[in-house]
């Protein structure tokens, strides 16, 4: 119980990401079907995204989009003059960097998943199956013939 | 193989969980990732405090994405474009013998199918313009509110996929043909790269937008803000066309006919 209170609860985001990542890793290594391997890869990616986003969280902080009360052009023109008194408090806004990194990672992840699905589709066209062992058997058989 | 996988997963998982104790607590504003090392420079704190003065963009995420880390985003967009090309190269089959899709009547599937088609068709007819308008808003307003090229591009691509699912792929291709989406994908990359090259032509570094104020007639800070909108539009073009290309090629095994 003590272990739960001191180690698990303050770090629960890391526990969830490790568990999710291991589910994905297990699917990628242990599963026989290529599509299931890809599902594992997606779960793995999602775990990494969760890890990054949870790193950027600050308790009580706002989204990293400060409201701009002053007019846009006015703010730009007066940027030099009002410098000191108007500095934002960095602890009041969530860390933007993990969000930026994951934003591109999500879309790139979708695009690469598309490539992976395209490759498995053309494997299915050639071998008639998506089970890894059956594909390996067919490759072995065809090399013995040739 | 299953046993090996289980051993690998348990070993890796326990090593990672062993390391968890050394991580900062959840939501700690003073953690190294959020505040840098003690007394040192922190890039994420710099982004929060200086973005308004550097770029006049309220959305810090967009400012980091399109300006501070412009190289990263440029090549991420290129990766997406290359992924689209790879799918095209792997799956697309030319079928010169196939009938022109414009000549074929749209497929009917009996009376019951027609009833479903009316409901789905009407719903999509009402929804799709709203989705597309919102997607354009997300792109155009991405540096003021949550949004940007990637998100808006995915939404716009999804609206075309919705057309293809609700009626058939031919209907969607009539609006967004293969020639068009390939061209739009290239145009997106060219817009982004063009902004970079324009900065180079004006004797600055690649993607250093501040110098574009000479062409735009605004302050250098506002030139950064406007250029960010420009590159976001480029990103949105590429993402839209690649999302639709992935769906169109995967759902028809590269034949681009008849869809699901």
């Amino acid at each position: 119980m003590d272990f739960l209170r001191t180690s698990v609860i303050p770090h629960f985001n890391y526990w969830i990401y490790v568990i999710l990542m291991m589910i994905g890793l297990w699917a990628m290594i242990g599963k026989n079907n290529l599509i299931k391997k890809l599902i594992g890869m997606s779960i793995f990616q999602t775990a990494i995204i969760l890890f990054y986003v949870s790193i950027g969280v600050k308790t009580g902080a706002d989204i990293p989009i400060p409201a701009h009360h002053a007019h846009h052009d006015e703010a730009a023109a007066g940027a030099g003059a009002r410098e000191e008194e108007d500095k934002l408090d960095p602890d009041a806004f969530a860390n933007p960097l993990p969000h930026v990194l994951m934003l591109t990672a999500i879309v790139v992840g979708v695009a690469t998943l598309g490539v992976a699905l395209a490759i498995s589709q053309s494997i299915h066209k050639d071998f008639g199956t998506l089970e890894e062992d059956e594909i390996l058997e067919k490759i072995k058989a065809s090399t013995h013939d040739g | 193989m299953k046993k090996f996988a289980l051993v690998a997963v348990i070993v890796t998982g326990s090593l990672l969980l062993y390391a968890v104790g050394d991580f900062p607590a959840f939501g700690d504003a003073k953690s190294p990732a959020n505040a840098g090392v003690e007394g040192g420079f922190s890039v994420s704190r710099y982004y929060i405090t200086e973005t308004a003065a550097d770029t006049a963009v309220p959305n810090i995420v967009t400012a980091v994405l399109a300006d501070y880390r412009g190289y990263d985003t440029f090549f991420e967009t290129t990766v997406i474009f290359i992924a689209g090309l790879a799918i095209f190269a792997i799956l697309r089959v030319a079928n010169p013998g196939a009938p022109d899709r414009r000549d074929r009547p749209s497929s009917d599937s009996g009376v019951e199918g027609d009833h479903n088609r009316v409901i789905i068709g009407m719903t999509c007819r009402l929804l799709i313009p709203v989705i597309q308008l919102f997607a354009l808003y997300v792109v155009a307003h991405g540096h003021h509110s949550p949004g940007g090229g990637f998100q808006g591009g995915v939404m716009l691509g999804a609206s075309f996929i919705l057309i293809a699912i609700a009626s058939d792929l031919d209907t969607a291709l009539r609006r967004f043909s293969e020639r068009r989406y390939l061209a739009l994908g290239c145009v997106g990359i060219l817009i982004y790269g063009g902004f970079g090259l324009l900065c180079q032509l004006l004797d600055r570094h690649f993607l250093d937008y501040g110098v574009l104020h000479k062409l735009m007639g605004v302050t250098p800070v506002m030139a950064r803000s406007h250029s960010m909108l420009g590159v976001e539009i480029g990103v949105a073009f590429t993402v839209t066309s690649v999302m639709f290309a992935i769906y169109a090629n995967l759902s028809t095994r590269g034949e681009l006919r008849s869809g699901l």
Side-chain angles (χ1 to χ4, degrees):
Chain A
M1 213 49 215
D2 221 32
F3 172 75
L4 210 84
R5 202 159 41 81
T6 55
S7 308
V8 178
I9 292 177
H11 296 121
F12 74 98
N13 56 322
Y14 305 112
W15 280 78
I16 294 170
Y17 112 80
V18 170
I19 291 166
L20 271 179
M21 199 156 105
M22 289 309 110
I23 292 171
L25 188 67
W26 189 75
M28 279 201 289
I29 306 174
K31 287 290 173 186
N32 199 29
N33 188 298
L34 293 181
I35 299 295
K36 286 182 183 166
K37 279 177 189 284
L38 289 182
I39 293 172
M41 192 184 77
S42 288
I43 295 173
F44 196 99
Q45 278 179 346
T46 313
I48 299 289
I49 289 167
L50 178 72
F51 173 58
Y52 264 74
V53 171
S54 72
I55 276 182
V57 173
K58 298 174 188 168
T59 310
D62 210 349
I63 55 167
I65 305 175
H68 54 313
H69 25 261
H71 189 260
H72 204 54
D73 299 301
E74 204 178 301
R82 58 182 185 98
E83 239 178 327
E84 286 312 312
E85 73 269 20
D86 223 14
K87 278 271 150 73
L88 293 167
D89 173 22
D91 290 343
F93 295 97
N95 190 347
L97 197 55
H99 293 256
V100 174
L101 298 175
M102 290 306 105
L103 190 124
T104 49
I106 290 167
V107 183
V108 170
V110 170
T112 47
L113 186 66
V115 176
L117 286 174
I119 292 173
S120 28
Q121 211 173 62
S122 71
I123 287 173
H124 188 264
K125 199 153 58 179
D126 288 351
F127 295 98
T129 175
L130 282 172
E131 303 293 326
E132 198 184 16
D133 50 355
E134 291 173 26
I135 293 168
L136 287 175
E137 263 167 40
K138 287 191 179 176
I139 292 173
K140 252 182 216 153
S142 65
T143 45
H144 279 302
D145 292 344
Chain B
M1 200 61 193
K2 282 254 158 79
K3 268 182 197 151
F4 169 72
L6 207 63
V7 171
V9 164
I10 288 172
V11 170
T12 324
S14 38
L15 280 176
L16 284 170
L17 285 179
Y18 175 69
V20 156
D22 295 335
F23 277 103
F26 179 71
D28 181 9
K30 298 287 174 225
S31 69
N34 288 337
V37 288
E38 197 66 43
F41 175 73
S42 165
V43 75
S44 60
R45 285 173 91 93
Y46 176 87
Y47 289 149
I48 294 171
T49 52
E50 305 299 328
T51 296
D54 281 352
T55 64
V57 168
N59 186 347
I60 300 171
V61 174
T62 304
V64 177
L65 182 87
D67 192 338
Y68 295 113
R69 296 181 63 88
Y71 270 76
D72 183 29
T73 312
F74 179 50
F75 290 111
E76 299 263 21
T77 316
T78 320
V79 166
I80 292 167
F81 181 63
I82 291 171
L85 286 188
I87 289 168
F88 184 80
I90 293 166
L91 285 181
R92 188 82 177 92
V93 283
N95 36 347
D100 186 3
R101 55 174 177 267
R102 266 157 234 263
D103 300 339
R104 293 189 315 138
S106 57
S107 50
D108 308 295
S109 48
V111 182
E112 211 157 309
D114 275 353
H115 276 301
N116 286 333
R117 186 147 287 193
V118 168
I119 296 169
I120 294 169
M122 274 311 287
T123 314
C124 290
R125 198 173 279 257
L126 289 172
L127 268 182
I128 284 166
V130 182
I131 293 174
Q132 291 184 338
L133 205 62
F134 184 62
L136 293 177
Y137 165 78
V138 166
V139 175
H141 217 246
H143 48 309
H144 283 254
S145 55
F150 287 99
Q151 300 91 319
V154 169
M155 272 189 218
L156 207 55
S159 73
F160 288 111
I161 294 173
L162 185 59
I163 297 177
I165 292 174
S167 40
D168 52 10
L169 192 68
D170 294 344
T171 319
L173 279 172
R174 223 170 290 139
R175 285 160 177 78
F176 200 30
S177 69
E178 184 175 35
R179 188 183 287 267
R180 264 185 221 162
Y181 68 65
L182 287 176
L184 202 68
C186 301
V187 166
I189 293 283
L190 286 177
I191 290 176
Y192 204 144
F195 268 95
L197 281 179
L198 213 58
C199 300
Q200 258 187 336
L201 286 179
L202 293 168
D203 280 346
R204 283 292 191 81
H205 291 296
F206 190 68
L207 292 175
D208 187 1
Y209 312 126
V211 72
L212 294 179
H213 73 96
K214 290 176 191 165
L215 303 178
M216 291 175 179
V218 288
T219 59
V221 173
M222 282 312 290
R224 287 181 175 273
S225 173
H226 293 327
S227 312
M228 264 182 241
L229 175 63
V231 300
E232 293 269 20
I233 290 170
V235 170
F237 279 177
T238 304
V239 172
T240 303
S241 44
V242 170
M243 288 300 136
F244 185 65
I246 289 173
Y247 173 79
N249 280 299
L250 277 181
S251 66
T252 59
R253 298 185 157 239
E255 288 175 2
L256 293 191
R257 278 193 300 144
S258 64
L260 282 175

